[in-house]
Amino acid sequence: MSGSSAFQDDSGTSGGSDELAERLRALRSLTPKSLKELERVTLVSDSSWSRYLAGRGLPPWAAIEALCREAGEDPAELRPLWEAARDRSNRATGEAAAVPDVPDPADAAAPSGRPRRRRLALALASVGVLATAAAGIAAAVHGDERPAAGRVPPAASTPAGAPPAAVTAAPTPPSVPGALRAEAAVPETYRGVIELAARRCTEAEVTPSLLAAMLKAESDFHADLRDPKADEYGIARWTPSVFNAWAVDGDGDGLKDYMDPADAIATMGLFTCWLDQRIKQSGLHSNLPGLIAAAYRTSDKAVIQAGGPPSGTEEHVTAVLRYQKEFAAG
């Protein structure tokens, strides 16, 4: 899987998407928005919408919900059709969720003697390989959000002291596992993008409460965090070169900036979805939230080789799981 949807390849082979695409085109005709305007409200690129409307690829469900809201229609009518298309896609790939077979950089020791952190290790890999990985996971989670070449700005694109752009999303119902409690100590400014980032992933473990817990443990929600020694920045502690390979425009402003909380969180959601799939593909299925948190701090390879959280990550994993329990509804 590299650059094309698991649902239908670029040769035009149908994966059963014609009926869904026809319904999506009808919905789009009910809205006054251009594809570029739809990109801003659905957080799916205009080029991805062009493919989805042509029947090439399966949109994320959250994007269909957003399109239905713009058209004033009930998305519930499309859910069975979307699920059937997703199931056909999964059968076509022979897996419950398509996972890109991307080689992971070696977990070499850093000069200090400590294991390389996941972002630093990946930064040493070819950006082209990582861009392909990002394309593959975007298709696997049914939301092809690949960064366009040259569009990722430096951190300086976020003016000092500027307030982060708010991204709004309907809260996940409390009855859904992993939803955020209304009174959870998660800044309101970030709740919308956390909700959307979690919904983009079809893996059950990637929930709003898990992403919020990871952000709490990584940065305590400090959007202006800068750690030059580790080369990690922003609310999700991204290494710039790695962020650039996976970057998602989380607030629809046309920029992808690791110091912008919306972009950093949306990209974290994409990456954690890939980590979840890689870990499960290896045969590990116990304590997946903890394994995802450990892999985010180190690498998927380190977790798989250790058969659990690698040495040195236990305290971090414990903190993430504690925060997740505090933040989750029910």
Side-chain angles (χ1 to χ4, degrees):
M1 295 288 299
S2 60
S4 62
S5 171
F7 185 69
Q8 174 175 322
D9 63 29
D10 290 335
S11 67
T13 302
S14 175
S17 62
D18 292 347
E19 184 179 356
L20 179 60
E22 183 178 355
R23 296 289 295 275
L24 293 177
R25 288 193 295 269
L27 283 171
R28 196 256 166 132
S29 70
L30 297 176
T31 74
K33 288 182 166 38
S34 66
L35 289 183
K36 181 57 71 174
E37 290 170 326
L38 281 179
E39 176 180 315
R40 288 193 288 272
V41 298
T42 63
L43 302 186
V44 170
S45 69
D46 57 345
S47 60
S48 293
W49 272 120
S50 294
R51 290 193 295 276
Y52 299 150
L53 294 172
R56 293 189 290 112
L58 184 64
W61 176 246
I64 293 179
E65 287 182 309
L67 179 61
C68 287
R69 284 195 297 271
E70 293 298 319
E73 297 293 324
D74 184 1
E77 297 180 5
L78 283 180
R79 183 74 190 194
L81 188 61
W82 180 84
E83 289 180 347
R86 180 197 58 192
D87 292 344
R88 284 192 295 270
S89 167
N90 291 340
R91 287 196 299 271
T93 62
E95 299 178 307
V99 180
D101 187 13
V102 181
D104 195 28
D107 262 341
S112 64
R114 66 180 174 84
R116 289 185 188 268
R117 290 184 52 135
R118 180 262 318 163
R119 286 159 290 254
L120 183 57
L122 286 177
L124 300 177
S126 162
V127 172
V129 171
L130 281 173
T132 300
I137 183 57
V141 299
H142 311 308
D144 189 1
E145 300 299 319
R146 287 170 284 176
R151 288 191 63 207
V152 181
S157 64
T158 301
V167 175
T168 59
T172 301
S175 59
V176 175
L180 289 173
R181 291 190 299 116
E183 63 274 23
V186 178
E188 192 67 31
T189 304
Y190 305 139
R191 283 180 176 247
V193 72
I194 290 172
E195 295 276 358
L196 288 178
R199 289 178 196 173
R200 278 201 178 121
C201 181
T202 59
E203 304 304 310
E205 296 77 25
V206 179
T207 63
S209 60
L210 175 62
L211 294 183
M214 290 175 63
L215 291 166
K216 172 70 174 177
E218 291 285 348
S219 69
D220 198 21
F221 299 112
H222 289 166
D224 59 351
L225 183 146
R226 296 174 187 269
D227 187 352
K229 185 175 181 180
D231 195 24
E232 295 171 355
Y233 302 88
I235 194 170
R237 280 189 171 268
W238 280 109
T239 292
S241 58
V242 180
F243 172 86
N244 291 355
W246 292 87
V248 175
D249 179 6
D251 52 12
D253 65 356
L255 301 175
K256 298 168 185 176
D257 182 354
Y258 54 84
M259 292 301 292
D260 181 332
D263 297 350
I265 295 169
T267 305
M268 175 191 252
L270 178 70
F271 191 72
T272 54
C273 193
W274 180 74
L275 289 172
D276 189 9
Q277 293 175 334
R278 293 283 285 184
I279 291 167
K280 287 189 289 192
Q281 186 186 43
S282 77
L284 297 175
H285 296 280
S286 178
N287 186 26
L288 284 168
L291 297 185
I292 293 168
Y296 189 82
R297 288 288 280 179
T298 56
S299 71
D300 62 304
K301 184 176 180 180
V303 168
I304 292 168
Q305 288 182 338
S311 178
T313 65
E314 297 89 349
E315 185 176 345
H316 176 75
V317 169
T318 297
V320 169
L321 296 180
R322 183 177 72 252
Y323 292 137
Q324 184 184 26
K325 185 175 180 180
E326 291 175 4
F327 294 161

